[in-house]
């Protein structure tokens, strides 16, 4: 399969700049289920969005006077470049997801950075694919399915989605329409239990080896893409491995939406490592000086010292903590959240940059 690309822009219509923190304008809010909504965005002026299906954006929202960043996978398709859609589940206790559900309306603006991430089917040469999703992990699979269907790609797609109940089936109507329009796409849904108003007569229970064998007998022949809560992805990984699957053809979303704000373990680790700190870190804008050990990410040390710095994934993916290194050297192993040309200009990601000398940072 050839790489998925968007159409060339119309004359005078530029592409969205993925390296800048820019503004998205909400144009539509659409209910998908009782606790899932899709937010449709455009740029303030005419721009086309270019991204690989499966990538994510980092949104910045102001809540109670505080800027908060969160990563959300794009659910729309790059083959329809005039708008960008993000589908978000309301998470109990989730600060940003609840704010978006309760407050974001057409005409309002949010800041956004991206797209980023390397979880995508774009460029894959596989002729048979298997999409496995759990809950809101369906969003990158939907982007891929929409893109492959729009391109009439000659790819045999099996899309297996696990939901808690019939009323939790995200995109159920559109998936049925895609399946009807695309002879190469077949969808299967598993529900764990019924609801009083809707009894499920399809596959029941959680995704298991026996259910997968029944629904997709040739699953060992396919390229597999997996996204969902961490326990779901762990279970799928174990199931595939024990079933003799070639794990070089296994791809999964590499950050867990449920742990993006769970920084406490990092902070505890940083506090312990600060006792053996070797380098001084100076922040020019914050006018703060801290100490940081050679094995400690700068972000972890800064948070342990009480600094509130913008960050989201804390895994070198989203780019939220990107800033300029004025002087000093670091060791940095990232996961796609910064480009080489940015590194060449002196930019670093605080979450995965470990000092190898004293540092001065523009933040």
């Amino acid at each position: 399969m050839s790489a998925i690309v968007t159409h060339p822009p119309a004359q005078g219509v530029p592409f969205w700049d993925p390296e800048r923190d820019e503004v998205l304008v909400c144009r539509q809010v659409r209910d998908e289920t009782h606790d899932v909504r899709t937010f449709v965005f455009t740029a303030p002026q005419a721009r086309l969005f270019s991204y690989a299906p499966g990538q994510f954006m980092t949104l910045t929202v102001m809540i109670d006077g505080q800027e908060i960043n969160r990563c959300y996978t794009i659910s729309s398709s790059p083959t329809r470049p005039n708008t960008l859609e993000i589908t978000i589940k309301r998470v109990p206790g989730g600060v940003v997801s609840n704010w978006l559900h309760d407050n974001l309306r057409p005409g309002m603006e949010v800041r956004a950075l991206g797209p980023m991430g390397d979880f995508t089917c774009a460029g894959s040469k596989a002729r048979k694919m298997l999409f496995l999703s759990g809950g809101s992990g369906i969003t990158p699979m939907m982007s891929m399915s929409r893109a492959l269907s729009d391109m009439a790609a000659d790819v045999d797609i099996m899309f297996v989605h696990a939901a808690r109940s019939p009323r939790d089936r995200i995109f159920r109507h559109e998936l049925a329409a895609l399946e009807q329009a695309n002879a190469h796409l077949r969808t299967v849904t598993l529900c764990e239990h019924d609801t009083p108003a809707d009894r499920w007569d399809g596959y029941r229970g959680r995704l298991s080896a026996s259910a997968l064998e029944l629904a997709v007998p040739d699953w060992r022949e396919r390229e597999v893409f997996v996204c969902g809560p961490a326990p779901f992805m762990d279970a799928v990984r174990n199931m595939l491995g024990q079933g003799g699957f070639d794990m070089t053809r296994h791809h999964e979303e590499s950050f867990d939406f449920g742990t993006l704000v769970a920084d406490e373990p990092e902070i505890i680790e940083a506090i312990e490592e600060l006792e053996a700190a070797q380098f001084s870190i100076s922040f020019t804008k914050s006018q703060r000086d801290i100490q940081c050990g050679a094995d400690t990410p700068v972000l972890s040390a800064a948070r342990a010292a009480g600094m509130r710095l913008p960050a989201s994934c804390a895994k070198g993916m989203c780019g939220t903590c990107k800033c300029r290194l004025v002087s000093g050297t670091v060791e940095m192993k990232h996961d796609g959240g910064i480009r080489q040309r940015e590194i060449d200009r002196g930019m670093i990601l605080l979450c995965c940059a470990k000092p190898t000398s004293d540092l001065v940072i523009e933040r």
Side-chain angles (χ1 to χ4, degrees):
M1 184 187 71
S2 60
I4 295 175
V5 296
T6 55
H7 297 292
Q11 185 175 3
V13 181
F15 277 113
W16 173 273
D17 186 351
E19 297 185 9
R20 294 178 54 190
D21 188 351
E22 299 205 34
V23 171
L24 289 173
V25 181
C26 180
R27 298 300 185 187
Q28 183 183 12
V29 179
R30 185 169 66 242
D31 287 334
E32 303 291 351
T33 71
H34 63 102
D35 61 355
V36 175
R37 283 183 169 173
T38 291
F39 299 89
V40 182
F41 298 98
T42 66
Q45 287 80 38
R47 289 201 183 184
L48 300 182
F49 297 99
S50 178
Y51 54 92
Q55 288 191 301
F56 64 88
M57 300 287 287
T58 299
L59 301 189
T60 300
V61 296
M62 184 72 70
I63 302 176
D64 296 331
Q66 178 183 357
E67 283 191 354
I68 304 178
N69 305 284
R70 290 292 184 274
C71 302
Y72 293 107
T73 301
I74 303 168
S75 55
S76 52
S77 169
T79 54
R80 307 180 190 187
N82 294 288
T83 59
L84 182 140
E85 299 181 9
I86 295 174
T87 302
I88 300 173
K89 178 181 175 66
R90 183 191 289 272
V91 179
V95 176
V96 177
S97 67
N98 282 277
W99 187 91
L100 292 170
H101 272 248
D102 294 337
N103 296 280
L104 188 58
R105 297 292 181 268
M108 296 177 62
E109 297 180 349
V110 296
R111 294 211 322 273
L113 180 67
M116 300 176 187
D118 56 8
F119 178 68
T120 179
C121 67
S124 172
K125 297 179 180 175
R127 304 304 295 268
K128 299 173 74 173
M129 295 182 181
L130 171 59
F131 298 160
L132 299 174
S133 61
S136 58
I138 194 173
T139 52
M141 310 307 184
M142 196 65 191
S143 180
M144 296 182 199
S145 297
R146 286 167 163 165
L148 292 168
S149 295
D150 281 353
M151 294 179 64
D154 186 18
V155 179
D156 183 331
I157 308 165
M158 280 297 308
F159 191 147
V160 179
H161 178 64
R164 289 185 178 179
S165 72
R167 74 171 189 156
D168 294 302
R169 291 175 294 156
I170 307 170
F171 303 125
R172 57 179 173 175
H173 298 302
E174 185 176 355
L175 276 174
L178 278 176
E179 186 173 19
Q180 184 175 22
N182 184 354
H184 298 297
L185 171 66
R186 189 161 73 88
T187 65
V188 173
T189 301
L190 296 90
C191 289
E192 292 184 34
H193 56 78
D194 296 329
T195 57
D198 196 351
R199 179 171 177 78
W200 182 244
D201 57 2
Y203 290 89
R204 301 182 66 89
R206 298 187 177 185
L207 183 62
S208 63
S210 58
L212 183 61
E213 197 74 45
L214 185 62
V216 193
D218 64 347
W219 60 270
R220 292 175 183 83
E221 303 171 13
R222 297 175 178 268
E223 195 89 2
V224 177
F225 297 84
V226 186
C227 187
F232 175 85
M233 293 197 293
D234 290 343
V236 169
R237 194 183 312 112
N238 292 334
M239 179 178 64
L240 296 180
Q242 293 172 8
F245 183 72
D246 176 5
M247 296 302 285
T248 63
R249 294 186 285 114
H250 164 266
H251 314 274
E252 65 179 25
E253 179 57 271
S254 58
F255 64 86
D256 177 15
F257 295 91
T259 60
L260 290 177
V261 294
D263 296 316
E264 289 80 5
E266 291 184 1
I267 294 176
I268 293 172
E269 178 186 1
I271 291 173
E272 294 172 347
E273 292 180 342
L274 278 173
E275 297 176 356
Q278 299 178 31
F279 302 111
S280 63
I281 316 294
S282 297
F283 294 88
T284 59
K285 293 182 179 179
S286 304
Q287 296 186 337
R288 288 287 307 273
D289 295 313
I290 67 170
Q291 297 296 304
C292 183
D295 293 328
T296 304
V298 175
L299 178 65
S300 297
R303 287 181 168 178
M307 295 185 66
R308 301 173 67 89
L309 297 174
S312 185
C313 73
K315 296 183 179 180
M317 292 184 63
C318 71
T320 304
C321 63
K322 189 184 305 177
C323 58
R324 191 170 76 87
L325 179 63
V326 179
S327 67
T329 57
V330 299
E331 177 185 275
M332 185 171 64
K333 296 180 180 180
H334 63 90
D335 199 11
I338 189 169
R339 293 167 173 79
Q340 184 58 48
R341 58 178 175 270
E342 295 176 300
I343 297 174
D344 294 341
R345 295 201 304 264
M347 305 300 289
I348 62 172
L349 295 178
L350 296 181
C351 69
C352 56
K354 298 178 181 180
T356 56
S357 72
D358 293 341
L359 306 179
V360 177
I361 296 172
E362 188 178 284
R363 173 65 74 180

